[in-house]
Structures are given as structure tokens and as C-alpha cells.
Amino acid sequence: MSREEMRQLQSERLRKLVHRVYHNVPFYRNKMQQLGMIPDDIRSIDDIVKLPFTTKQDLRDNYPYGLFAVPMSQIVRIHASSGTTGKPTVVGYTHRDLSIWSEAIARCLMGFGATRDDIFTVAYGYGLFTGGLGLHYGVEHLGATVIPMSTGNTAKHIQLMHDFGSTALACTPSYALYLAEQIAQSGIPRDEFRLRLAILGGEPWTDNMRREIEAKLGVDAFNIYGLSEIMGPGVSHECECKNGSHIIEDHFYPEIVSPDTLEPLPYGQQGELVFTTLTKEGIPLLRYRTKDLCTLTDAPCPCGRTSVRMSRIAGRSDDMLIIRGVNVFPSQVESVVLELPEFEPHYRLIVDRVNNLDVLEVQVEVREEFYSDEISAMMALHKRIASRLQSVLGISANIKLMEPRSIERSEGKSQRVIDNRVLE
């Protein structure tokens, strides 16, 4: 599709989207009325800059279904991702949404060179997280075979990849490296595995990490990008050229804006990535601020695809950490610390990578009156906060109880997070 044909399609879909959210989502109708807008003010994709932004806070403020644009009788699936509080960010899908999502991921898989002859082991988490089921249905839409392994039980995972003849693996890059190490220790010769593709996402990774995965697993490794609020994995994908990720922009319209002024930035200039869901029915979003920092380009790609490409994510404009594919905010830890009277409001998060897997350590000060030499008392405290943190964060953390006044104070902005992961 030529760039002009794409613009015409995007313009048509944007006009329909704006009318739909104006009439079906009170939140957007109020936003547009505050700006003195009516749907007919949007005539082409160029007018998208007139529309209001949407943030994760807006989704939390309208928890759980306030931004849905269809009645619940039309919602056939719900997914959710963690937010800065205990309440998750909720997204809903209609039958058509799931069909488009499956098709988008199938397009990504074809971009990686996958065919219906491939056998996919999906090792993303299943459940409320979009990774597992997203890839699962995308593989089926392609016509390939899917093995829904999910996460955990690595020894069984390795055995079944070998016995079932898996040719493709979908997981986080850190888990791919861990699998490679465990395969090397399993006693099963690597040349007995049929793996040829690795579809990796859910956390930042680099070209050096790609080369290590490819060498250790004997695969061609590709990046897949997505976020739950927009759809899940399948928003963009690399091609055989591996020079940026092609955005499925007939469904997800991308912009780059300044994180400070929110003014649009030209292609090639780094800023915050913003998406508008042009075709989504369940929970369509206007100009959703992803907080991801990257660049866009519409320069021709040698693969022949004409879609806009995004660079690797260079960082974030907020304090969110991505640990083992899960969104973790320091404020989540703070909310738990503050609700438990045994602890001081002084804590620190230390993130590291051990054996190619992300590890989170939470250091928290115990109040003087609760700090004790009795092992049983401290173990009870440890168990209480560890259980509560796992419930809120969605992942386990190593808890280190600290003596009173042992965490360094700062007169300026406290350094709550130490991220020792080295992405090379």
C-alpha cells in the first residue's frame, strides 16, 4: 500500500473512530466538549493533533469499564496489566477485536519468516497478561501449530520442545537466554532441536543480546512490540532486515510527541510514542501516551514494506520498570510499605540480572519498635510484606528487612531504584 493510500485509509478510520467514542464514551465526549470540538471537526488523519491525549491514569480513573465503548454483552474477553496501584489497567475485546489482533500477530509472524509448517512453543505467561493468549491465537490464525507451554517448569519445557519438534519459540529475551543455558546443561545435544525462530518481546533487549541468543539457541531472533492498552503484542514487528519494527499502522496510528510540551515531533527525532487505535471496538483509545521513548521513520525498507517503522525503545518518560515482562512501579512498593505499620516509609528497589533472568530485591526499613533479634518475629514480618508485595506486583521479589535508619537519606530526590541490569 502506498503512503497516500495508507493515509486515506487512516483518515477514514479515524473519522469513524471519533464519532464512535464521542457518542459511546462519556469520558471522550466530555474531553472533546471541553476543547470545543465536535466529531465533524476531524476530517483527515492530519487533524489527529486536535484530539485529546489519553493516559494510564485515565484508565485507572475509569476502572474497570468506564472507557469501554460497547456494552458488556459484546465483550468476549478481558485482559489486564499492572498499574501504579493495586488496581490493574483493564482492557476488553469484542469478537472483531480478537480477530484483528490475531491477524496482526499473524502478519508479524510472517514478517519473521514463519509459515504454517512451524511448530510454536509459546512461553509467555497466559492469563490476564496479553502475551500468552495473544501469540497463541496469532499462531493459530497463521495456520501453524501452537504448544501452550506458558512459563515455569523449564526442564519439562526443554523436553517437550525437543520431543515435539518445536521450530519457533515465543518468550521474553531473558528467558530465551535462560533456556539456552538450561539446554546446554540438559544433556540433550543442541543439534537434536529443530528451533529456527525466536519471537521475543515484553522487555528491553539489545542487538548484542540478540546475537548471544542466536548463537546459543541456533535461531533467528526477532523483536515483537505491543502493550496491553493498545491491543497486546503485535503492534509492531521486525522484518528480515532487522532495522526497526514495522507498525501495523492500518490499525494503530503512531505519533511522536515531546514528553515535556506534548507537541508533535518530526520523524527521526526522539520523543514519546503515542498510539491511536483506529479499529478497536471494545476500548478504543485516542492518542494514548505509551511513555516509551523512540523515533519513527517512513523511509523505504529494503524488505518492501511501506509501513512506518519505530526504533528500539530507548527508555521511558516515567519511572516504570519492566521486570520479567511485568510492569513494576516504585509507587506500588511504596503503597504496600505505607499500609503496613511495622515499616518505615524508606525503601529501595535493586534490579539485577542473574543467569539471564531479572531479579528484584526490595529493601525496606523496619520501625524501631518492631525490629527484633528474634528470628521468628522477623520471619513473620518478612512473610507478611513478601506476600503482600507479590499480590500487588504480580511477581515475587527478594525481600531484605533493613535496620532502622540504614537506608541512605537524601535532601534532594531519593534514589528509590538501582537498576544494575546491563543491556549491551
Side-chain angles (χ1 to χ4, degrees), residues 56-193:
K56 188 181 281 283
Q57 185 63 47
D58 294 326
L59 274 76
R60 290 197 296 268
D61 291 344
N62 289 276
Y63 174 90
Y65 306 138
L67 292 185
F68 284 20
V70 298
M72 287 303 295
S73 60
Q74 295 182 32
I75 296 293
V76 297
R77 192 194 300 171
I78 287 175
H79 280 286
S81 66
S82 59
T84 56
T85 68
K87 290 184 178 180
T89 299
V90 180
V91 288
Y93 302 78
T94 65
H95 273 298
R96 184 168 180 266
D97 289 336
L98 292 181
S99 177
I100 288 173
W101 189 13
S102 298
E103 183 210 341
I105 291 184
R107 286 160 64 176
C108 296
L109 299 178
M110 291 181 69
F112 305 142
T115 72
R116 63 183 306 156
D117 295 323
D118 280 301
I119 300 174
F120 275 81
T121 295
V122 175
Y124 287 112
Y126 281 64
L128 288 176
F129 176 61
T130 55
L133 286 170
L135 264 295
H136 183 112
Y137 283 94
V139 171
E140 289 185 345
H141 189 85
L142 179 67
T145 303
V146 61
I147 304 170
M149 282 301 303
S150 191
T151 55
N153 202 342
T154 300
K156 182 178 181 182
H157 193 151
I158 290 170
Q159 190 67 54
L160 293 187
M161 278 199 304
H162 173 269
D163 296 349
F164 291 178
S166 298
T167 60
L169 168 68
C171 63
T172 62
S174 57
Y175 189 64
L177 273 178
Y178 181 71
L179 270 177
E181 291 183 349
Q182 294 304 302
I183 286 173
Q185 298 173 21
S186 69
I188 305 175
R190 201 192 76 179
D191 58 9
E192 289 188 9
F193 289 84

